[in-house]
Amino acid sequence: MPVIVLEARDFTSPLFLTRTWEVISGCVAFSLVASASIKNNDVFWTFCMFTWCFFFTLTFLIHTLSIIQFHSLIPISWKNLTVTVAVLGALMSLSASVFFPWRVMPVEKEFGCNVAATVASCLTAVAYTLESFILSLQAQELKGYMGSLPGMLKIVQLWGGCQNITLVVKTIEYYDPAKEHAWQTYVLGVSYVSCVLMSLVTLVVILGDLTGRCLLPFDRFLTGFTLSGVLLYMLATVICFTKILELRSRKGSMELIIPETVLCGFSLLAYTVDLAFSIKQFFDRSSM
C-alpha cells in the first residue's frame, strides 16, 4: 500500500502549523524540567510532567498520522479524537502552567530554566486553545459528538476530576489517617476517582464508536453517568465547604482546599448543565 502524504499547501495550513507548535513547545517544557536538577516526587511535579509528556506523545502521533494519511485505518473515531485531545490538552496544559510555578518551581535553584519551562507550558496551552478554535470552525459532521456542547462538557468534567484528584492527594499528605475528620478527604478522593472513571468509560465508548454495543441505549447510559456525577459532586461540594469552615475555626491553611472547592463547584456546574441537556434530549426523543 503506497504511503500518501499531505499536499504541499497543507504544510502551511493553520492546523498543521498549530500542531507543530504544540509538539515543539510541549517537548521543550518537559525537557527543561527533566534536565533540571530537581529531585521532586511531589504530586504536582508528577502531574505537570505527565501532562506535558502524555499530550506531546498524543499530538505527535496525531500529527504523524495526519501527514501520512493513515488515520482512516485506525479503529478510532478520528474527528472525536482530535477535538478531545485539543480541548483537554488546552485545559491540562493550562493547569500545568499554574501548578508548576505555584507548587513545584524552586526559587533558589535553576530559576531561569524553570521560568523557561513555565513559558513553554503556557505557549503549549495557547497552541492547544488555538487548535480547539480552528476545529470549532469546522462543520458539525467533521467535529463529531465531542465537538458539540455536551461533548465539551464531558471533557471539562474529566479535566476537573483530574485537578481535584491531584489536590486531594496532596491534601492527604497533611492529614493523619487516624485523625477524626480525615475521612472527609478520603470520601472526596473516592468521589473524584469515580467521576473520572465514568468520564473515561464515556470517552472510550465515544472514541471507539461503541455506542451501538452498549447494553443500554447510549442516551440513557450518559444520563445515568451524568446524574451520578451530579450527586457525587454535590456531596463533594458540601464536604469542601465544611472543611473550609473547620479550617477557619482552627486557623488552618486553606491554600489547597479553596482551589479544590472552586474546581468542585465548577465541575458540579458542568455536570448539572450536561444533565439538563441529557434530560432535554431524552424527552425530545420520547415525544417523537
Side-chain angles (χ1 to χ4, degrees):
M1 179 178 178
V3 176
I4 303 174
V5 297
L6 296 177
E7 297 181 6
R9 65 175 181 272
D10 295 324
F11 287 95
T12 58
S13 65
L15 189 58
F16 179 89
L17 295 176
T18 302
R19 285 176 177 161
T20 304
W21 174 6
E22 294 164 2
V23 170
I24 294 174
S25 57
C27 181
V28 169
F30 73 75
S31 298
L32 287 172
V33 176
S35 63
S37 56
I38 305 175
K39 295 181 180 180
N40 197 333
N41 294 322
D42 185 85
V43 63
F44 289 110
W45 183 90
T46 304
F47 173 87
C48 294
M49 288 296 289
F50 172 81
T51 296
W52 295 325
C53 294
F54 179 75
F55 283 98
F56 164 79
T57 304
L58 271 182
T59 305
F60 181 79
L61 290 175
I62 289 174
H63 205 23
T64 303
L65 291 172
S66 297
I67 292 173
I68 62 178
Q69 298 288 287
F70 269 14
H71 56 269
S72 59
L73 303 178
I74 301 177
I76 294 178
S77 176
W78 183 256
K79 55 188 178 182
N80 285 314
L81 176 65
T82 53
V83 172
T84 301
V85 172
V87 177
L88 189 58
L91 295 172
M92 295 289 282
S93 298
L94 177 61
S95 298
S97 302
V98 174
F99 284 158
F100 186 75
W102 174 43
R103 301 292 303 186
V104 180
M105 187 174 70
V107 177
E108 69 281 359
K109 292 177 59 180
E110 303 189 34
F111 182 73
C113 181
N114 289 294
V115 169
T118 304
V119 172
S121 181
C122 292
L123 291 175
T124 304
V126 172
Y128 278 113
T129 303
L130 181 58
E131 183 186 356
S132 302
F133 175 74
I134 293 173
L135 293 176
S136 69
L137 298 178
Q138 296 179 343
Q140 183 60 47
E141 58 271 13
L142 297 177
K143 292 187 291 186
Y145 176 82
M146 299 307 296
S148 63
L149 183 55
M152 294 286 186
L153 288 172
K154 288 170 176 58
I155 298 174
V156 171
Q157 293 162 10
L158 177 59
W159 167 76
C162 292
Q163 314 315 299
N164 284 324
I165 288 175
T166 304
L167 290 168
V168 83
V169 168
K170 186 63 178 178
T171 303
I172 289 175
E173 297 178 6
Y174 296 108
Y175 279 85
D176 181 356
K179 285 187 177 181
E180 180 181 357
H181 299 291
W183 65 270
Q184 296 175 344
T185 304
Y186 294 104
V187 170
L188 289 173
V190 171
S191 299
Y192 300 147
V193 170
S194 299
C195 290
V196 167
L197 289 177
M198 288 189 292
S199 297
L200 289 175
V201 170
T202 302
L203 279 182
V204 169
V205 171
I206 294 174
L207 297 182
D209 280 333
L210 302 174
T211 56
R213 301 183 184 180
C214 296
L215 299 177
L216 293 175
F218 187 58
D219 54 349
R220 297 183 183 180
F221 173 80
L222 291 182
T223 303
F225 272 8
T226 307
L227 178 59
S228 300
V230 170
L231 296 176
L232 287 172
Y233 268 103
M234 286 178 64
L235 173 64
T237 303
V238 172
I239 293 177
C240 284
F241 277 109
T242 302
K243 290 178 68 175
I244 288 178
L245 295 176
E246 290 176 354
L247 289 173
R248 286 187 61 186
S249 63
R250 293 180 298 179
K251 296 182 179 180
S253 175
M254 293 190 290
E255 63 176 352
L256 293 176
I257 188 59
I258 288 181
E260 182 182 348
T261 305
V262 173
L263 286 169
C264 195
F266 186 75
S267 298
L268 176 59
L269 177 62
Y271 273 101
T272 303
V273 175
D274 193 14
L275 180 62
F277 273 106
S278 298
I279 294 175
K280 181 179 182 298
Q281 185 180 22
F282 178 78
F283 280 109
D284 286 344
R285 290 186 178 182
S286 299
S287 59
M288 292 178 62

